[in-house]
Amino acid sequence: MLITTTQSVEGHRILEYKGIVTGETIIGANFWKDFKASIRDIVGGRSGSYEKVLIEARETSLNEMAQRAASWGANAIIGVDIDYETVGQNGSMLMVSVSGTAVVIQ
């Protein structure tokens, strides 16, 4: 499945538009990750544990969207948008939502 943020795929013709397709993931960070991240806030640096959670959530959302598009007979998704939000009490969970247009390309 080809997934792109562009509205077309160079060198390919769009034969059919299948519709808007989405994928969503809500994932929580546990207490230990929160604690380590708070230390990083004080001393500076990157939070590897949060980055891993973010990567996992994004990949899961993209995979879910690709599976939905494939079930519709699409072989590509164009115009993909990725959004990140914190949800839950005190923003303790991360939501990643992706959307795009499922298409058949030649």
Side-chain angles (χ1 to χ4, degrees), residues 56-75:
E56 178 186 345
R58 183 181 59 240
E59 288 176 352
T60 300
S61 295
L62 287 168
N63 287 336
E64 180 180 295
M65 181 177 66
Q67 288 175 357
R68 286 181 180 155
S71 74
W72 295 354
N75 63 355

Side-chain angles (χ1 to χ4, degrees), residues 53-96:
V53 169
L54 182 64
I55 290 166
E56 178 186 345
R58 183 181 59 240
E59 288 176 352
T60 300
S61 295
L62 287 168
N63 287 336
E64 180 180 295
M65 181 177 66
Q67 288 175 357
R68 286 181 180 155
S71 74
W72 295 354
N75 63 355
I77 305 169
I78 60 171
V80 172
D81 180 55
I82 303 173
D83 292 311
Y84 303 90
E85 297 287 334
T86 55
V87 296
Q89 189 173 7
N90 300 321
S92 61
M93 302 187 89
L94 174 69
M95 178 178 72
V96 178

